[in-house]
Amino acid sequence: MRSSFALRWSALLTGVLVATAVAVAGPVAAEPAPVAPAPVIPLPPELDPGFYLPPTEVVAATAPGAIIAARQVRIADFGLLPIDVDAWQVSYRSNNSRDEPIPAVATLIKPRGQAIEPRKLLSVQLAEDSTAGYCAPSYALQHLSVAPVAGQIVVPAEFLFAQAALAQGWAVVVPDHQGPNSAYAAGPLAGRITLDGIRAATSFAPLEVGPTAPVGLYGYSGGSIATGHAAELRASYAPELNIVGAAEGGVGADLGAALSMANNQLTSGLVFAAVLGLTREYPDFAAYLDQRLDPLGKGLSAIKSPLCVQYQSALLPFLNLTGMIGSDGNPLDDPPVAAMLDDTRMGKSVPDMPLFLWHSAWDEILPLAATDTLVDTYCQDPATSLTYTRDHASEHIVAEVVGGPAALLWLRDRLDGVPATPGCTISDAGTMAATPGALDFLGDTMAAKFATLFGVPLGSR
């Protein structure tokens, strides 16, 4: 729950960051939404409510995934180097974890080259891992965004994996899966926003992706939370979507296990940010913390609420997270906490598409044992098609670098219609960089990126 002090600081911080910006937000348009031109200087959500927060009555009257407004944008590497692709932002309706209507935003990106119709689509859930709107991908990916220098370095860095998909000729949708309140780690919310973002993408004609197009899901770490819940929810929430495979690594399968592992450790600052994010989606948990947090915890909540992932992680590590919560026993067992942890734990249903999971055997942020348990749960269903690799030459960050190319290769086969191996295949790898074809795939991606420096549009092959 945001304190008034935190809200004032957040507003002040974003105001300083974009004090010279020119507002371009307009009124919500009727369906079909016309495409507005790109803003001269992008605005973060805090200063752009006309686009990010359409009227509640408009949102409520819109079907989940239907577009409310659309505009062109320019995207760039780390806010500086423009990328030669076509890109748009769409505002659309989604639902929170209580099935109440909420606004959502996603970035749609199309390479300039020709593709077999319909164009294949990859939904990339980037690890926002932050608790302020200016950290969201839709802002952080834009040309002249200041988010990278304000602490959001993960989204621009991970965007290379989305560019690898664009280099294949695929379209990409990047949802702001934490929603309008930056509810970091709220998996059921993120899953719904992700699925509705795919609905919006497949209905947006300029993206050249139709409703029957094959769709893949990709997410790592904080992005795995959105990806995993979207995969589990597809059958009940968006059964019409043709999702042919989901790849998730550094899997955030059990937030309670992650919190216990982070307690008093170097990663506690990042996990505390997830605690703050979860209060924004779970009112009972928010009320519980408001009553139980000690003065240190409340002070940290106010200080950390307006920060992006870089500063969230670096500020005051080695926190005694459970010690800041007054409880007669383990606070994770108290009913409001236990209910939230149960709702966000993966494994309630088995995804009905093929799965590719990977995790570092030495992951210091998200425990390997929780992913092992999730895989065991999925594999109890004889219809499951799942490939799971434990990488033994990495930690959390390196595991995405070495495993991401293998995941994208696996997704390419699914999008090309190659059947996945039935059953569960579980293996331990010295390094996933040795996956056949992975280094060649990474080399081709880097070559395509390098060619863009000489005027070759990304994905124009």
Side-chain angles (χ1 to χ4, degrees):
M1 184 179 301
R2 301 192 195 190
S3 67
S4 59
F5 174 74
L7 288 171
R8 289 196 299 271
W9 189 3
S10 180
L12 176 61
L13 178 60
T14 53
V16 170
L17 293 175
V18 294
T20 60
V22 179
V24 296
V28 174
E31 295 279 8
V35 178
V40 176
I41 298 178
L43 294 175
E46 290 91 340
L47 297 180
D48 195 6
F51 188 82
Y52 283 89
L53 297 175
T56 55
E57 63 272 15
V58 172
V59 177
T62 304
I67 295 173
I68 297 170
R71 63 187 179 190
Q72 292 180 318
V73 290
R74 293 182 292 268
I75 59 173
D77 285 316
F78 291 91
L80 296 175
L81 299 174
I83 301 170
D84 193 0
V85 291
D86 294 318
W88 305 266
Q89 286 175 352
V90 290
S91 171
Y92 58 96
R93 182 255 175 94
S94 189
N95 292 324
N96 64 16
S97 54
R98 297 175 298 281
D99 283 325
E100 299 164 342
I102 58 168
V105 170
T107 304
L108 312 181
I109 311 166
K110 181 178 72 68
R112 297 271 169 81
Q114 297 295 314
I116 299 173
E117 295 183 1
R119 191 182 291 270
K120 298 161 187 173
L121 177 67
L122 185 65
S123 183
V124 180
Q125 290 62 249
L126 300 174
E128 183 176 340
D129 295 4
S130 306
T131 49
Y134 68 94
C135 314
S138 61
Y139 175 65
L141 295 178
Q142 289 191 73
H143 185 225
L144 301 182
S145 157
V146 297
V149 298
Q152 181 49 282
I153 62 169
V154 176
V155 163
E158 275 199 311
F159 188 58
L160 177 62
F161 293 98
Q163 293 184 59
L166 292 165
Q168 298 294 308
W170 309 339
V172 167
V173 52
V174 181
D176 289 0
H177 55 78
Q178 294 186 181
N181 296 318
S182 301
Y184 171 28
L189 167 77
R192 288 167 170 81
I193 291 174
T194 296
L195 293 170
D196 285 323
I198 296 170
R199 283 170 163 160
T202 56
S203 70
F204 187 69
L207 195 63
E208 299 176 353
V209 176
T212 63
V215 180
L217 298 172
Y218 176 95
Y220 189 85
S221 190
S224 79
I225 296 174
T227 301
H229 282 276
E232 290 192 9
L233 286 168
R234 189 211 71 90
S236 61
Y237 187 81
E240 80 280 7
L241 296 179
N242 183 24
I243 299 178
V244 297
E248 50 190 285
V251 184
D254 186 336
L255 300 183
L259 192 151
S260 296
M261 187 173 80
N263 206 42
N264 293 308
Q265 301 301 316
L266 180 65
T267 59
S268 61
L270 177 63
V271 174
F272 187 75
V275 171
L276 296 179
L278 289 162
T279 65
R280 301 171 183 183
E281 183 63 13
Y282 294 93
D284 290 345
F285 177 57
Y288 171 88
L289 280 188
D290 190 52
Q291 294 172 356
R292 298 297 188 94
L293 269 184
D294 65 14
L296 173 62
K298 290 184 177 180
L300 286 174
S301 297
I303 292 169
K304 290 168 71 72
S305 285
L307 299 180
C308 292
V309 57
Q310 179 70 6
Y311 301 127
Q312 285 279 12
S313 301
L315 183 62
L316 295 177
F318 304 104
L319 293 171
N320 184 354
L321 298 173
T322 57
M324 291 187 296
I325 303 173
S327 177
D328 295 333
N330 184 350
L332 302 189
D333 295 330
D334 290 346
V337 185
M340 176 274 293
L341 293 176
D342 180 68
D343 194 56
T344 56
R345 188 178 296 112
M346 294 184 199
K348 292 184 178 59
S349 63
V350 179
D352 60 352
M353 75 283 293
L355 301 171
F356 182 98
L357 277 70
W358 79 102
H359 207 110
S360 166
W362 316 110
D363 197 304
E364 73 282 14
I365 298 177
L366 295 167
L368 174 69
T371 302
D372 286 343
T373 298
L374 178 67
V375 168
D376 289 343
T377 300
Y378 286 162
C379 289
Q380 290 176 14
D381 187 331
T384 297
S385 172
L386 183 150
T387 299
Y388 175 43
T389 305
R390 291 179 287 250
D391 187 280
H392 285 262
S394 65
E395 44 67 68
H396 185 77
I397 296 174
V398 173
E400 182 171 23
V401 176
V402 298
L408 290 170
L409 276 174
W410 181 90
L411 281 166
R412 184 171 68 183
D413 282 345
R414 306 293 80 76
L415 291 168
D416 285 346
V418 178
T421 303
C424 289
T425 303
I426 300 173
S427 61
D428 291 271
T431 173
M432 291 180 70
T435 302
L439 289 179
D440 289 340
F441 182 88
L442 182 61
D444 290 344
T445 298
M446 298 308 297
K449 273 296 297 175
F450 183 73
T452 65
L453 300 177
F454 298 92
V456 179
L458 188 62
S460 62
R461 60 196 183 115

